Each structure stands twice: as C-alpha cells, then as structure tokens.
Amino acid sequence: MAGAKNHDYHILPPSIWPFFGSMSALVMALGAIMWMHPDAMGPGGGWIFLLGLGGVLFTFFSWWGNVIAEAHAGDHTPVVQLHLRYGMILFIASEVMFFVGWFWAFFDFALFPSALAPIEGLFPSKGVEVMNAFELPLLNTLILLCSGTTVTWAHHALIHGDRDGLIKGLWCTIILGAIFSCIQAYEYAHAPFDFGGNPYSSAFYMATGFHGFHVLVGTIFLIVNLVRAYKGHFTPRQHFGFEAAAWYWHFVDVVWLFLFVAIYVWGGWGAPIHGG
C-alpha cells in the first residue's frame, strides 16, 4: 500500500521549533550584547535578553513535549531508542570536551606561571588565599557521590518495576543536588578572592561555575523526570528520558571529582589557606 511504513524509524513531521528556537537564541544573544554594552548599543538590552530567553525556554518545553507525545504514540521503537541513546552519548562527549578546555586553561596557568606577568612566577598569585579543600568542597564532594548512588537506586527501581523506589530515589537525588548548589552559592559568597584580577580566580570561577550551572540543569532534568514518574510515563522497557537524566547526572558527578582533585586540592597546594 502506498505510504505504508515498512521500517522501524520514525519520520518526523514538519516542525516550527528548530526555526523558532534559533531565532529566540539570536534575540537572546543580541539582548545580552546590548545589556553588556548599554553605552554603545542603547538601553533595553535586558528586556530583549529576557524575551529571547523566554522564547528559548518555550521551545524547550514545546519541543520536548512533542518528543514525549511521540513516545506515548509508540513512535520510539527499539531502533529509535538506540539512536536517541547515541545522541545523548555524543552530547555528553561534547560536554566532556567543553570541560577539557577549562581544565587545560587551569593547568596551563598552573604549570607555566612565569609567562603570566606580573604574578612573579607564582600560581596561585602572590597574596591570594585559597579555600580549604577539606571543608565545604569535601562536603560537596560527598553530597554529589551520595546523589550518584540515589539516582542509581532510582534507575534500578525503575528497571524492576518499583515505582515507589523510583520516586523516592529521584526525590533524594534532587534534594542532594539542591543542597550542593546552596553550599556552592555560600562558598562563592564567602570566597577570599573575587572573580578576575588574577589567573587563579578566573580559572577557578569559570571551571567551578560552569559545573555549578550543569548541576542546576541536571537538577531541573531530574525534576521533570520526577513529574513524569508521578504521571506513570516510564516503564521498565521504555524510559529513555530518565536514562538520559541519569547519565547526565553521573557525568556531573565525575567532572566534580576531577575539579575537586585538580583545582581545590592540587591547584591550591602550598598556598595560604583562608582562615587557616
């Protein structure tokens, strides 16, 4: 029969969201530039940025809503689910390379400080006090490690059809992620150095700050999955949305372990400790 489907792939219908999302991102970028350069670009940049951000968030909500509807309609065959997993793996690989850039910058600053005038060949720079790695940073490390176990608990509960365990594991992971973010905000508020001014503080805030942003994104990802778990969207055979969130959260955990060792412990070795 003409038009009959004889393959396992899902052919997507025409969608407005790629175009709408691209235009929203453009408006958001232009608004951000105007916001940061009001003297040259004029006022109103903040409002244009918020307008673009609203469009981007609306695109997220609508586009992913369509993906969920496709899953419920049976369009996510085993082949489609496999390729969704490939896509998530490639996305996480790109995120790994994003953090490789920040680690590269930090190690370049640390191993070749003599090229960075005028810091007298020292890293951290002379007069910079660092945080004690074995206080709040160690506490946050333990919190993220615990959150990795709770999201694994939720995953195993889902695979075995235990909806109650899935919901409890997600709640625990979300709470631990929120605690991590609150502790990091407190740490930033009481940091002994400001953003910029020396290579150590710049590298520190860029690396740990972007990780903190990823924790916030991962927490929102898990909250969406918690709502879907309450609605009964996941089954032991079909739960890619949760699986993607769990992979992302484990990625965030592993990156933090490298940050803790490289930046907090090794990066501040021998420097004066704030309050010490």
Side-chain angles (χ1 to χ4, degrees), residues 55-67:
V56 170
L57 294 177
F58 183 71
T59 301
F60 289 167
F61 183 84
S62 302
W63 201 346
W64 286 332
N66 288 350
V67 174

Side-chain angles (χ1 to χ4, degrees), residues 147 149-155 157 163-176 222 226 242:
S147 73
T149 63
T150 56
V151 79
T152 301
W153 166 31
H155 195 180
R163 185 164 169 264
D164 184 60
L166 165 64
I167 291 172
K168 288 179 179 177
L170 279 172
W171 266 115
C172 290
T173 310
I174 291 166
I175 291 171
L176 289 170
L222 292 170
L226 178 62
F242 174 85

Side-chain angles (χ1 to χ4, degrees), residues 31-267:
I33 295 170
M34 293 176 62
W35 195 3
M36 290 184 283
H37 301 280
D39 296 336
M41 309 277 302
W47 292 108
I48 296 175
F49 171 80
L50 291 176
L51 177 64
L53 177 62
V56 170
L57 294 177
F58 183 71
T59 301
F60 289 167
F61 183 84
S62 302
W63 201 346
W64 286 332
N66 288 350
V67 174
I68 293 172
E70 292 164 6
H72 292 323
D75 294 325
H76 289 179
T77 63
V79 171
V80 172
Q81 291 184 52
L82 177 64
H83 292 166
L84 287 173
R85 289 178 172 85
Y86 286 161
M88 190 65 192
I89 290 171
L90 290 174
F91 170 69
I92 292 176
S94 72
E95 292 282 85
V96 169
M97 298 311 298
F98 175 81
F99 278 100
V100 165
W102 297 118
F103 280 108
W104 189 303
F106 187 85
F107 283 115
D108 186 49
F109 289 158
L111 297 174
F112 305 101
S114 59
L116 302 168
I119 66 171
E120 303 179 10
L122 298 175
F123 187 88
S125 308
K126 187 176 181 179
V128 173
E129 294 184 336
V130 300
M131 300 177 188
N132 189 339
F134 300 102
E135 291 182 350
L136 290 181
L138 178 60
L139 175 61
N140 257 352
T141 301
L142 297 175
I143 288 172
L144 269 192
L145 288 175
C146 288
S147 73
T149 63
T150 56
V151 79
T152 301
W153 166 31
H155 195 180
H156 278 272
L158 172 56
I159 291 173
H160 292 90
D162 180 7
R163 185 164 169 264
D164 184 60
L166 165 64
I167 291 172
K168 288 179 179 177
L170 279 172
W171 266 115
C172 290
T173 310
I174 291 166
I175 291 171
L176 289 170
I179 293 172
F180 176 94
S181 297
C182 290
I183 291 176
Q184 188 171 41
Y186 178 86
E187 179 184 78
Y188 279 9
H190 295 81
F193 45 81
D194 297 326
F195 180 84
N198 64 81
Y200 176 81
S201 63
S202 297
F204 173 88
Y205 280 115
M206 293 303 291
T208 61
F210 270 115
H211 176 268
F213 172 75
H214 282 72
V215 171
L216 290 174
V217 171
T219 304
I220 295 171
F221 204 169
L222 292 170
I223 291 172
V224 172
N225 277 274
L226 178 62
V227 173
R228 295 188 63 195
Y230 274 111
K231 292 183 176 182
H233 285 187
F234 301 124
T235 67
R237 291 178 58 86
Q238 187 166 337
H239 53 266
F240 169 73
F242 174 85
E243 201 168 25
W247 290 356
Y248 188 84
W249 196 255
H250 288 307
F251 156 74
V252 168
D253 285 351
V254 172
V255 169
W256 176 257
L257 291 177
F258 282 99
L259 285 172
F260 175 72
V261 173
I263 294 182
Y264 285 99
V265 178
W266 180 83

